Amino acid sequence: MSSIAALAAAALVAGCGGSGSAGSSGADGNTLTLWTHNAGNAAEYGVVQQIVKDFNASQSKYKVKIQAFPQDSYNDSVVAAASAKKLPCILDVDGPNVPNWAWGGYLAPLDLSSGKVAVKDQLPSTVGRYQNKTYAFGFYDVALTLYARKSVLNKYGIRIPTIDKPWTKSEFMAALAKLKASGKFAYPLELATGNTGEWWPYAYSPMLQSFGGDLIDRSTYKTAEGALNGDKAIEWGKWFRSLVTKGYTAQKSGKSPNDDFLNGKSAISWDGSWSAAGDTAKLGDDLAILPPVDFGNGPKIGGASWQWGMSSTCSNKAGAQAYLNFSRQTKYFVDFAKATNTVPATNAAAAQVPGYKPGDKFNFFVQEAQKFAVVRPVTPAYPYISTVFTKTAQDILAGADVKGALDEAVSQIDNNLKQNNHYSGS
């Protein structure tokens, strides 16, 4: 459901430029195969099944058949199928992977002009683009946010921030100091540092970006020098480590960070919009949904979740395009958001989803996605960058020299870029 699935980084990046561009697959005449990562996710899978059923019933020329995979093995299955030139015609893709899959020859550009929902009306983070072409689109996004109890913040005289006036760094650190000094919380801040994989760049690189650093220099996408190891990035790294040394957060959190927050073990939790409904059910009006901290360059959250595209090897692209455009109806955007407790990708859909309508409690996440979302670097190198950043951030939390760790990360990323000719091929 969310965009924090583990990435098959090495398999995706190592010499795959153009690997899927030859041959054809995914269709037997006008019968087209669709792959999804939603096996085991009954609610979201049910929406996919309904769209396919409706499309098949809406016309007699094409028929779409579904094959569902468990999320943990999905990326590997796509990579293997691409190597064997046996990709389906229609497939979903985790948003940050779109540039890599487009560069690798897995995806074909889309013409979405005949869909009922216009691309321009979607949250930008829900449209997968690469080299000025659209390769995928999603029905929803997710938003990271801070959760707290209003009663706890009020008890310790901590201002409740708003979208328009988030906490500054100094306010945030003062709040953590008060909460730590109370003796009520072993770790006042829950960052879910026990999570693995894509959670690390998804959750923590927006903090780096709010400090003024980044994972790569986005002006050229040819180096991470200065972005990931400049003064702002070093400042972020030292701050990140200080959260552990000051006892504000755990170097490795427990297995159920959301439960720890709900049980009062932590006072402030950095978590996703997917937890909002459950948290509200448990805490009611005492739940405070808060914007990300402004560390100096504006509040930031990660953007992009699962999206849909068409394989470059599909032998019936007209049928695949027909299905994808058929799916672009507001009712399906609504159905996905309801099924997954996610942020609807359009305002029209949000207006029909309970809790997300303007003025409703969860419309906060729509505003966050509109104002604060930053997509992960739009480069085929992203899966590799993700892996490097994850290890680097973990090392920093564990006490590694910040500048040395970031310099090493830059060296590794720049070497990968050079080895792949800066991913200049398409």
Side-chain angles (χ1 to χ4, degrees), residues 25-26 32-37 48 64-65 67 69 74-75 77-79 81-82 86-94 98 101 105-108 110 135-137 139 306-314 320 323-324:
S25 62
L32 293 81
T33 302
L34 175 152
W35 281 12
T36 176
H37 74 286
V48 177
V64 173
K65 290 185 175 181
Q67 185 172 355
F69 295 78
Y74 181 72
N75 285 334
S77 298
V78 171
V79 171
K86 292 183 178 180
L87 283 169
C89 270
I90 305 158
L91 68 168
D92 56 7
V93 49
D94 203 1
V98 169
W101 288 18
Y106 300 4
L107 301 176
L110 299 177
Y135 283 89
F137 70 92
F139 293 91
W306 286 89
Q307 302 174 358
W308 290 89
M310 172 177 66
S311 72
S312 62
T313 54
C314 175
Y323 170 81
L324 291 168

Side-chain angles (χ1 to χ4, degrees), residues 40 48 89 105 112 117 128 172 220 243 259 314 349 358 368-369 416:
V48 177
C89 270
L112 301 175
V117 174
F172 184 52
T220 65
L243 297 176
D259 288 341
C314 175
E368 278 196 310
N416 176 271

